[in-house]
Amino acid sequence: MRTCCEVAGHKFSIEFPESYTRVPALAQYSPFTVEPDSSDLLFSLEVVESLPELDLKLVYDQQTEPGETKIRLFRCRQGWYCESAPTSESPVAARFLMSEDFSKGILEITAEGDPLFALNNSLMIQYAFSTASKGTLEMHASVIVNDGRGYLFTARSGTGKSTQSRMWLKAIEGSRLLNDDNPVVRVLDDGRAWVFGTPWSGKTPCYRNESAPVGAFVQIRRCSENKATRLGVVESYANLYSSCSGFKSDRAMADGLHATLAACVSSVPCFVLDCLPDEDAARVCCKAVKNV
Amino acid sequence: MKIKEGFRMRSILDAHMVVPEGPGMEGYNKMIALNASAAYLWENVEGKDFDVMTLTSLLVDKYDIDQETASRDAAKLLGEWVEAGVIED
């Protein structure tokens, strides 16, 4: 069973063996499906019953908050190997081997693992790594589109990104949610940054194959009052840097991410919004981002 | 002393910052902004052994300032870098 998808202009395929008994429902990928024999695929992910023996060297062991996805990344002769679990207390769900250039991924879903979690997580990693050198950022953000512009709200998990989006939906007319957890930002040939909906939206089922030019990046911080402040270049860069996925210790990936971050920071205003979780925060935010 | 492995200077137009990009640095959550003269110094000592005298000489070479001023500025900047944790002996 083979499905081809396109997210933010990058195509990839997902394949399960015909005999596989645990194929998850792939409804979130439906809006992104394209013709199955696309020849210009950026990468492919193939699910297998088991991976071969690997000689591993640990290069990244994520320090997670309780409840956050746990990821460990290794290098091996074949390329890269990644293990994911839903939390640091859960057993490993996905064992994922990627070629050196990330174009070929093979995934073993463990007996204890949830197939959809294993697939989604591995795809997101493979997507982030293979697009890092192509003007593309996979971001941790919630996105509202209003009057033809996309506004990305960034912050650590639980700080209030989704709340800010909800407040816009309530208080700012003409707002629409594009994605609630993992949108993709891509800088196009003309230097403009666009934000795209993706099949990955955290706990909110918001899977929209739509896009908009980025109007602003807004970092959310909890505060006892509502105040928006424009950020300078370095602070803007720091904000985006910490909100995008990618293995920054890999020089080529870091260079690619930097180029895209620099383009975003040079062309899109960034703000920090100190705020309460209320509708006034959305109004203060809206006023700031539209008055640039 | 040297700049710790993994800290890289990145530039956007005329803004410069030190970014932690090395292996094992994922927990380091600070970025350091460098002004033009700090960026000049960083570029010239990256990957090399240096001390406050090296920085002083570089400042005297590039800017029209006396040894004493250069020495004070170099010491101050080096102190900031050490405090930020980007320098190792």
Side-chain angles (χ1 to χ4, degrees), chain A residues 119-129 138 181-182 200:
Chain A
L119 180 69
N120 286 342
N121 216 258
S122 306
L123 275 172
M124 286 174 62
I125 288 166
Q126 193 176 14
Y127 186 96
F129 286 14
E138 192 184 277
D181 199 48
N182 293 103
W200 312 296

Side-chain angles (χ1 to χ4, degrees), chain A:
Chain A
M1 187 228 94
R2 188 160 179 262
T3 302
C4 286
C5 297
E6 183 170 353
V7 173
H10 299 296
K11 290 184 182 156
F12 56 92
S13 69
I14 306 167
E15 194 169 342
F16 285 84
E18 289 306 318
S19 54
Y20 204 78
T21 54
R22 299 165 69 205
V23 182
L26 299 181
Q28 67 209 77
Y29 293 90
S30 298
F32 303 89
T33 313
V34 291
E35 278 308 298
D37 64 349
S38 301
S39 50
D40 50 349
L41 294 178
L42 182 62
F43 66 87
S44 64
L45 184 148
E46 191 191 332
V47 177
V48 297
E49 295 289 350
S50 66
L51 289 181
E53 275 297 307
L54 301 167
D55 196 8
L56 302 173
K57 181 178 169 230
L58 181 69
V59 293
Y60 175 64
D61 193 348
Q62 187 179 29
Q63 298 303 308
T64 46
E65 305 288 306
E68 269 187 11
T69 302
K70 167 88 179 162
I71 290 172
R72 293 170 84 206
L73 187 67
F74 302 78
R75 287 296 242 139
C76 56
R77 189 182 46 80
Q78 297 88 334
W80 305 79
Y81 169 73
C82 182
E83 279 181 355
S84 321
T87 67
S88 44
E89 295 83 41
S90 322
V92 170
R95 302 184 63 227
F96 186 45
L97 178 64
M98 288 176 281
S99 57
E100 186 67 31
D101 66 354
F102 314 110
S103 65
K104 301 259 172 303
I106 47 176
L107 172 65
E108 177 196 317
I109 303 169
T110 65
E112 309 86 0
D114 171 59
L116 193 56
F117 167 82
L119 180 69
N120 286 342
N121 216 258
S122 306
L123 275 172
M124 286 174 62
I125 288 166
Q126 193 176 14
Y127 186 96
F129 286 14
S130 50
T131 60
S133 54
K134 298 184 186 326
T136 303
L137 303 171
E138 192 184 277
M139 298 205 60
H140 186 43
S142 181
V143 191
I144 284 288
V145 175
N146 183 282
D147 196 23
R149 290 266 184 287
Y151 299 100
L152 286 92
F153 307 123
T154 61
R156 288 222 57 169
S157 289
T159 307
K161 307 185 283 299
S162 298
T163 303
Q164 179 64 207
S165 287
R166 279 204 308 277
M167 294 301 119
W168 273 67
L169 292 172
K170 278 179 126 176
I172 315 293
E173 210 180 299
S175 298
R176 182 171 158 84
L177 185 69
L178 177 60
N179 184 284
D180 204 31
D181 199 48
N182 293 103
V184 162
V185 169
R186 186 169 182 180
V187 176
L188 303 183
D189 289 339
D190 62 359
R192 269 188 112 179
W194 283 67
V195 60
F196 295 78
T198 71
W200 312 296
S201 183
K203 300 187 181 75
T204 310
C206 183
Y207 313 119
R208 304 210 144 111
N209 191 359
E210 294 166 17
S211 60
V214 181
F217 295 99
V218 182
Q219 183 190 357
I220 306 294
R221 280 200 307 223
R222 288 189 186 178
C223 188
S224 52
E225 57 165 340
N226 294 321
K227 193 172 90 154
T229 316
R230 180 92 184 253
L231 293 175
V233 169
V234 176
E235 293 137 316
S236 303
Y237 186 92
N239 171 34
L240 295 189
Y241 184 91
S242 56
S243 307
C244 72
S245 301
F247 185 52
K248 283 124 187 172
S249 305
D250 179 77
R251 182 64 176 259
M253 230 188 288
D255 286 348
L257 291 172
H258 169 71
T260 313
L261 290 168
C264 286
V265 161
S266 311
S267 62
V268 178
C270 295
F271 295 84
V272 64
L273 179 72
D274 290 299
C275 65
L276 294 156
D278 63 15
E279 289 181 27
D280 183 61
R283 282 183 218 108
V284 166
C285 183
C286 182
K287 187 159 179 237
V289 300
K290 297 209 179 196
N291 282 339
V292 176

